[in-house]
Amino acid sequence: MRARLSCCAALMIGMLPGALFAQEMVNVRSADHPDFTRVVFDWQDRVEYRPTLNGDYLEISFDRTATPNWNTLENRALRFVGTPTSRVEEGRLIVRFKVTAPAQLSHFRDGTKVAFDVFWDQRNSSDPTVKTSPAGAVEQEALVPSAAPMAQGGTETQQAAQDQRPVNSGALKLGVNQFRGERIRLSYPWETDKLAAVFTRYNTLWVVFEDYRPVDQTRLDRFIGKRILSGRQIEHPSMTVLVYAIMPGQNVKAQKIGTGWHIDLQDGRVVPSIPIPGSHKRIANTPGENFFFSVKNSGPVMVIEDPVIGDDLAIVPVAASSQGVIQAHKYTEFEALETAQGIAVQLIADNLSILKHRNGVSVSNQNGLAISQGDLSSKLGLDVASNGEPERLIDFPSWAKGPLADNDDYHANKHELLYQLANATNNDRNEKRWRLARFYLANGRVRSAYGILNVMKDDDAALQQNPSFRTVLGVANILMRRFDEGAKLLTHKSLIAEESTFLWRAVAHSGLGDHEQALKDFLKGADILSLQEPRDRIRFLFAAIQSAYAQADRDFVESALTVLRELPLNANEMTDVDYWQALLERDNGNPLGAEGALEGVVKAGARETAARAKLDLVNLDLEREKITNAEAIDQLEKLRFAWRGDDFELELLSRLGDLYVAQNDFYTGLKTLKLAVTFFKNQRRVAVLTRQMNRIYSNLFLSGKADSMEPVRAVALYSEFRELIPLGADGDQMARRLADRLVSIDLLEEAEELLEHQIEFRLKGGAQAAVASRLAMIYLLDSKPDKALGILRATRNSQIPRDIVDRRNMIEVRALIELERFEEAEVMVEPYRTAEAEELRSDIYWKDENWDKYIAHSNRLLGGRYQQDAVLTPEERLAVLRLSVAYAINNDKAGIKVLRDRYKSHMDDGLYGDTFEVITAEQQSTDTDVRRLTRSIASVAKLETFMESYRAEFTDAVEQN
């Protein structure tokens, strides 16, 4: 098939028009890999492209015309793609490949080259050539030239020993990936846990595993020349031994993830996470001095000849991830090599013995080693001296000693430093302050150090640009729990290359609740973690554990706890380890085991950790329904006094707020959450809590949950948390709903305050005019017509819709009537002929006591209603009653008689019937009594009517909501 492909390609080229040969020729290369087919277009310049995988075809459109050179394709059939075709359309080269199986597509650039990988569409499997970085981002392998396969070899003795190898399940397939920044990772996907040793010497990388397995290193072919020059497997009867020639200057990192081992080659400095300390030691039944590596769970000792140098090496693999010797030591008889993983010893003298013990590995000979106490004064591991290296930015042990070399008394050294400062000149005063500040900081007097550093900064502002000063001030802030300031100081261009500052930044960001950034920072500095002082290393690891747990990275937490257990922990720190292990137990589905462990943490009595454990126990009991929300609230309220500050109090307040809201105690719930937001405003989680408060507040006043609350309490809650009112229409509707409810229960002043705030601070244009009309109605109900008129006129706008203008005019007429400005009211209502306008005219005449106009207007409105048999409505009855009053006040007896004759039968035995009878009776008590009665009715009847109609609008609105 591949031969046919080449023939077809040659035939197509031969049939192309002659003019086309003047175009750029682009070479096309292809290769099959175990899991995909790669096709590479080797352009001379960068070209934009758009690939489309559609069913059985892959089509690629390049933004340039060119002639594909198919002759460079391999002369064999490809696994996932078939015959190519090409054409030129509108200045673009379009290439089409037949896809021979259901496939997925990946594509990327390497300089001017463009590569397309077509691989089997197996959605539930993963391509081992694409890895996930520790930060979680997928990193694409780089395009590299093909190279010849690497040879495997070994001595005849080793070859003959193959019969003794244990049975295995086939070749182990090496995975290779090149990350951004040129780092290359070799991955060995063992199915079960294996011990490993990894180190470099003379530009050769050694990778050794405790069990034998042939390794398929085909995937390494594409990476030859990129850090790795060659590689092969050395035959061994019981161990897997791999050696790689590498480019000079490489640094190596080894780590185990799950059961697989990953070896990184990179430029940046790397040291093992768990150092293997070495020292001289006398061992029972062995003469003289021995050199002893303190390590648990070590594997068998393998002695092998170095194929490059020709000397002998003793190699011991170990179990824990990233556990190695961080500093090489050379002696007359042997050299302990620096390793990324495990132990490696160059054997110089004869008759050396490398023996495995329960708690380590020893180097000895039958007469004792020729080493002395002075040779080992600088031990391997964490107590390594600087040995001429540049001064560390943070060096607490050195700073804590003070200036008196022969006196380690704190007070004596402090007095000496103060004496030096008191006698300092202007030129060297900051230098003396600097020594005193670092002395204070290293001895735990952080606030004293912070004060001196700030005096130095005030005296010389340029110090803030000094990396050392900036780092020390940043660390002082972090130790004072001023995490925000500390993180800002350590995030500076002058500290980019200082890996140790990333570890301190991790502490700061973890304290701020920015756990994603904290974990990123920790991983950037983790390569030199072993070089830090044990106390600092413990601090860094706990901060990383907290952030990793918040990011649900349980594997990281587990491995970090393993590292911590190897460090000199005090009692409280051991309790912290137990606490995090208990959380892992809970997350792994073992609530009973977690409960027992958490109870043990509480009994241990470490205040902060005990408080956290109690909180987790309450949550565990809630999940299992062993306690009610009310009981949980009671326990958590008591817990608020157990530990104050940092992220624990934030988490506690957040949980309490949730429980109060679940109990429908919205006021206390929001108040508790508000405390959390106020006290911890710099914490990343505060943004989540604020959104949570907004949702609760909106549900209360938009979804009607607040309707079940007492009105006064609802108003108090609304006002106290006014900052939660959402912007836009939802916030305005919220205020109107609550105002309507307040008016319906006659809390007029409270309703006025709500709408006044809306009009003054939130609304403009038509929305403001509409709410102003509603506020004016409330003012009228509250007997404040002057305020009603004022708010209407203050919110006039030429852009207000016509219906709103009409409504506002009717309310304004009512306000004018109540202010007895009848002439203005009559002029304003003149253009209107609606029922409401006619009612307003009646009120104008009534309150102006213009009885002739009122009588004429009322008779026109009633018309021939008396001729109908239908029962009068309450409004009609009131209109008849008021008309009788007008007749009586106007002393129009004839009019009263006519009205009585027409409406007596309608008014009998109904609303206002008795009053109508008294006013219109032919035999009245006295003229004075009738006039007193009619005047009384005239003063209140219509006012009550219009107030009832206005109040009804608000009541109806509440019912509709």
Side-chain angles (χ1 to χ4, degrees):
M1 176 180 174
R2 192 64 187 83
R4 291 198 301 271
L5 175 63
S6 297
C7 292
C8 291
L11 180 61
M12 286 188 291
I13 293 173
M15 295 173 62
L16 290 172
L20 193 57
F21 286 98
Q23 296 176 356
E24 175 186 347
M25 182 74 72
V26 56
N27 291 329
V28 185
R29 296 184 285 106
S30 66
D32 261 339
H33 298 275
D35 301 310
F36 64 93
T37 295
R38 173 170 291 174
V39 180
V40 181
F41 290 80
D42 194 355
W43 292 88
Q44 296 178 16
D45 301 302
R46 181 183 175 91
V47 177
E48 298 300 322
Y49 66 94
R50 291 177 295 281
T52 304
L53 182 62
N54 187 7
D56 296 336
Y57 290 94
L58 166 63
E59 185 171 282
I60 309 164
S61 174
F62 294 98
D63 289 352
R64 184 181 299 182
T65 59
T67 301
N69 181 10
W70 304 115
N71 290 328
T72 55
L73 290 177
E74 292 191 348
N75 292 319
R76 59 183 177 83
L78 297 173
R79 183 177 178 187
F80 293 110
V81 299
T83 307
T85 62
S86 66
R87 64 185 188 276
V88 174
E89 288 185 0
E90 299 179 354
R92 300 192 313 275
L93 171 64
I94 299 175
V95 179
R96 196 178 198 196
F97 289 91
K98 172 74 174 176
V99 178
T100 59
Q104 291 181 278
L105 176 67
S106 174
H107 54 91
F108 59 94
R109 295 182 184 274
D110 183 21
T112 61
K113 303 177 182 66
V114 183
F116 301 89
D117 292 345
V118 181
F119 53 96
W120 180 256
D121 187 3
Q122 190 173 4
R123 302 302 172 101
N124 294 325
S125 66
S126 61
D127 186 346
T129 64
V130 178
K131 303 293 181 184
T132 301
S133 70
V138 174
E139 302 184 282
Q140 174 66 45
E141 62 180 13
L143 176 63
V144 295
S146 298
M150 293 175 296
Q152 292 183 349
T155 65
E156 292 182 6
T157 303
Q158 292 166 339
Q159 191 68 31
Q162 290 182 3
D163 295 338
Q164 305 300 321
R165 294 171 184 157
V167 177
N168 60 69
S169 58
L172 186 71
K173 288 189 176 183
L174 173 71
V176 187
N177 188 28
Q178 184 164 9
F179 296 100
R180 290 184 295 270
E182 300 299 321
R183 174 166 58 96
I184 285 181
R185 170 171 292 180
L186 307 178
S187 298
Y188 304 87
W190 291 94
E191 299 87 355
T192 58
D193 287 327
K194 300 295 179 186
L195 281 65
V198 180
F199 59 95
T200 61
R201 69 187 305 241
Y202 301 108
N203 298 326
T204 299
L205 168 66
W206 287 73
V207 180
V208 178
F209 298 106
E210 65 170 324
D211 196 6
Y212 173 77
R213 187 87 165 268
V215 180
D216 179 357
Q217 304 194 89
T218 306
R219 289 179 181 164
L220 188 62
D221 297 357
R222 294 173 294 143
F223 294 85
I224 296 301
K226 300 268 182 143
R227 296 189 180 273
I228 300 176
L229 303 177
S230 65
R232 66 188 178 111
Q233 181 169 358
I234 297 177
E235 296 299 332
H236 191 275
S238 60
M239 304 187 84
T240 300
V241 184
L242 304 160
V243 292
Y244 303 88
I246 61 175
M247 298 179 70
Q250 305 294 306
N251 290 284
V252 183
K253 178 179 181 180
Q255 58 180 326
K256 185 171 72 169
I257 302 176
T259 57
W261 281 94
H262 304 275
I263 314 301
D264 291 352
L265 287 169
Q266 62 188 65
D267 292 329
R269 185 184 183 189
V270 188
V271 292
S273 299
I274 306 175
I276 298 177
S279 63
H280 72 292
K281 186 174 183 179
R282 291 187 176 273
I283 302 175
N285 302 321
T286 60
E289 295 285 349
N290 294 264
F291 192 88
F292 193 80
F293 297 96
S294 297
V295 60
K296 297 178 181 178
N297 299 321
S298 60
V301 179
M302 177 190 78
V303 179
I304 191 169
E305 180 182 337
D306 187 323
V308 177
I309 308 302
D311 55 3
D312 289 334
L313 299 176
I315 301 172
V316 183
V318 299
S321 174
S322 189
Q323 184 175 23
V325 178
I326 69 171
Q327 183 177 351
H329 275 257
K330 187 173 183 179
Y331 302 98
T332 305
E333 297 164 294
F334 72 96
E335 181 179 358
L337 304 180
E338 180 179 328
T339 67
Q341 178 72 29
I343 299 169
V345 178
Q346 176 193 356
L347 305 178
I348 300 173
D350 296 331
N351 301 320
L352 287 176
S353 297
I354 313 296
L355 301 176
K356 176 185 173 182
H357 302 268
R358 179 179 56 82
N359 58 345
V361 175
S362 67
V363 182
S364 63
N365 68 21
Q366 57 185 353
N367 298 316
L369 295 174
I371 57 177
S372 66
Q373 177 73 25
D375 295 326
L376 291 171
S377 60
S378 176
K379 298 179 181 180
L380 295 180
L382 295 178
D383 297 326
V384 176
S386 62
N387 291 334
E389 292 185 358
E391 182 182 7
R392 293 158 58 181
L393 289 177
I394 299 296
D395 191 356
F396 288 150
S398 175
W399 300 346
K401 295 175 182 177
L404 302 178
D406 56 347
N407 190 343
D408 59 359
D409 180 71
Y410 167 77
H411 294 288
N413 280 280
K414 183 184 77 168
H415 291 154
E416 177 61 25
L417 287 168
L418 289 171
Y419 175 79
Q420 292 178 9
L421 177 58
N423 290 279
T425 65
N426 290 336
N427 292 332
D428 66 353
R429 184 165 287 111
N430 263 354
E431 178 188 344
K432 305 303 182 185
R433 288 170 177 160
W434 178 239
R435 293 178 181 176
L436 180 60
R438 296 192 302 179
F439 176 78
Y440 277 144
L441 187 64
N443 283 285
R445 271 62 173 182
V446 182
R447 295 190 180 277
S448 298
Y450 177 78
I452 295 173
L453 292 168
N454 276 283
V455 171
M456 292 175 64
K457 182 181 65 174
D458 293 341
D459 193 39
D460 184 0
L463 281 174
Q464 286 214 86
Q465 303 306 314
N466 180 281
S468 295
F469 181 85
R470 195 177 186 93
T471 300
V472 171
L473 182 57
V475 169
N477 274 282
I478 291 170
L479 293 176
M480 292 170 60
R481 312 190 74 84
R482 298 163 59 99
F483 298 121
D484 190 44
E485 293 84 349
K488 289 176 182 176
L489 284 164
L490 297 182
T491 306
H492 192 261
K493 60 183 179 181
S494 65
L495 298 173
I496 291 175
E498 298 294 342
E499 293 171 293
S500 62
T501 61
F502 285 102
L503 297 171
W504 285 102
R505 281 170 50 178
V507 176
H509 284 121
S510 181
L512 289 169
D514 188 354
H515 296 298
E516 180 180 359
Q517 186 60 50
L519 199 53
K520 287 180 180 178
D521 285 338
F522 178 84
L523 292 173
K524 289 178 181 178
D527 288 343
I528 62 163
L529 180 66
S530 298
L531 299 180
Q532 309 306 305
E533 294 304 315
R535 302 312 311 160
D536 292 334
R537 202 173 342 148
I538 291 167
R539 186 198 318 276
F540 300 147
L541 282 166
F542 275 124
I545 286 171
Q546 181 175 0
S547 294
Y549 188 84
Q551 294 284 99
D553 192 342
R554 305 293 186 262
D555 290 339
F556 180 95
V557 174
E558 193 76 67
S559 61
L561 289 175
T562 300
V563 176
L564 272 172
R565 292 187 182 99
E566 300 294 327
L567 296 174
L569 304 177
N570 59 36
N572 286 350
E573 290 160 349
M574 292 174 66
T575 302
D576 288 341
V577 170
D578 292 341
Y579 169 74
W580 289 110
Q581 191 63 52
L583 295 192
L584 292 178
E585 289 289 331
R586 180 191 64 185
D587 297 343
N588 290 332
N590 183 12
L592 291 177
E595 182 180 31
L598 288 171
E599 288 174 347
V601 170
V602 173
K603 291 178 182 177
R607 281 186 58 205
E608 180 181 2
T609 313
R612 292 180 184 276
K614 287 178 184 177
L615 174 58
D616 289 308
L617 283 170
V618 171
N619 288 330
L620 201 60
D621 287 343
L622 274 173
E623 290 174 11
R624 294 185 294 170
E625 299 182 352
K626 292 178 65 175
I627 59 175
T628 64
N629 283 352
E631 291 170 329
I633 288 172
D634 182 60
Q635 292 184 39
L636 295 185
E637 282 290 358
K638 296 175 182 176
L639 194 55
R640 286 180 64 179
F641 302 98
W643 185 261
R644 307 298 295 271
D646 60 43
D647 62 312
F648 167 74
E649 187 174 6
L650 175 61
E651 183 179 356
L652 177 61
L653 292 173
S654 173
R655 189 70 177 110
L656 267 172
D658 290 342
L659 291 172
Y660 277 121
V661 170
Q663 292 288 93
N664 291 328
D665 187 352
F666 301 107
Y667 180 84
T668 307
L670 284 173
K671 190 172 182 179
T672 304
L673 293 173
K674 186 175 181 178
L675 282 175
V677 170
T678 302
F679 292 162
F680 302 96
K681 58 184 177 181
N682 292 325
Q683 286 270 16
R684 174 65 66 90
R685 189 178 173 186
V686 164
V688 177
L689 291 183
T690 302
R691 290 193 293 270
Q692 178 184 348
M693 293 173 66
N694 286 330
R695 285 194 298 270
I696 295 169
Y697 195 79
S698 295
N699 287 336
L700 282 171
F701 295 105
L702 283 179
S703 303
K705 286 188 177 181
D707 294 346
S708 61
M709 300 173 64
E710 295 180 4
V712 175
R713 192 168 179 80
V715 173
L717 190 150
Y718 179 91
S719 299
E720 180 159 347
F721 302 101
R722 181 169 279 159
E723 68 274 9
L724 298 176
I725 299 174
L727 298 175
D730 284 347
D732 301 336
Q733 182 186 356
M734 189 182 291
R736 287 195 293 271
R737 282 176 59 99
L738 184 56
D740 291 345
R741 186 171 177 222
L742 293 172
V743 173
S744 70
I745 56 176
D746 213 27
L747 293 175
L748 303 180
E749 288 190 5
E750 288 80 356
E752 290 164 9
E753 290 178 5
L754 284 180
L755 298 188
E756 286 168 354
H757 185 272
Q758 291 292 103
I759 291 169
E760 183 175 359
F761 298 108
R762 293 178 58 89
L763 300 175
K764 300 292 181 185
Q768 185 188 59
V771 173
S773 64
R774 211 155 184 80
L775 176 58
M777 291 171 63
I778 300 173
Y779 281 143
L780 289 173
L781 292 173
D782 201 19
S783 301
K784 299 174 181 176
D786 53 337
K787 282 196 168 186
L789 187 63
I791 195 64
L792 290 170
R793 293 187 173 178
T795 55
R796 283 177 177 172
N797 191 309
S798 60
Q799 304 300 318
I800 299 174
R802 185 72 246 175
D803 59 331
I804 296 178
V805 171
D806 292 341
R807 180 61 178 153
R808 285 166 57 89
N809 286 343
M810 295 299 98
I811 299 171
E812 187 169 344
V813 170
R814 172 62 62 193
L816 290 169
I817 293 172
E818 297 306 312
L819 291 170
E820 298 185 356
R821 294 161 63 172
F822 304 120
E823 187 174 343
E824 292 178 60
E826 192 169 357
V827 171
M828 177 167 276
V829 80
E830 174 58 31
Y832 294 96
R833 291 294 179 267
T834 63
E836 183 179 10
E838 297 299 345
E839 286 295 320
L840 286 170
R841 286 190 182 89
S842 294
D843 291 345
I844 292 170
Y845 302 146
W846 178 275
K847 292 205 70 174
D848 196 23
E849 298 186 0
N850 190 337
W851 306 118
D852 290 335
K853 280 191 174 183
Y854 181 83
I855 290 169
H857 184 71
S858 296
N859 278 319
R860 186 170 68 254
L861 292 178
L862 285 170
R865 182 66 179 85
Y866 65 92
Q867 297 174 339
Q868 301 172 15
D869 294 332
V871 176
L872 295 175
T873 65
E875 291 77 13
E876 290 172 329
R877 285 178 172 275
L878 181 58
V880 172
L881 175 63
R882 293 182 68 196
L883 184 54
S884 69
V885 170
Y887 276 127
I889 293 175
N890 210 27
N891 201 24
D892 186 347
K893 297 186 181 297
I896 290 176
K897 184 176 185 310
V898 171
L899 185 66
R900 179 182 176 83
D901 292 343
R902 290 179 174 179
Y903 285 101
K904 184 177 185 308
S905 60
H906 288 77
M907 295 291 289
D908 283 347
D909 302 324
L911 184 64
Y912 308 128
D914 293 341
T915 307
F916 181 78
E917 175 65 27
V918 170
I919 294 173
T920 61
E922 293 180 2
Q923 301 294 328
Q924 297 175 340
S925 301
T926 66
D927 204 39
T928 302
D929 292 338
V930 172
R931 291 183 70 84
R932 185 183 300 113
L933 175 62
T934 55
R935 286 288 181 185
S936 175
I937 294 172
S939 64
V940 300
K942 187 57 185 175
L943 177 62
E944 291 178 350
T945 302
F946 103 79
M947 288 183 67
E948 289 171 2
S949 67
Y950 275 15
R951 184 171 282 110
E953 286 192 35
F954 291 97
T955 304
D956 292 344
V958 171
E959 292 175 353
Q960 290 172 7
N961 290 331

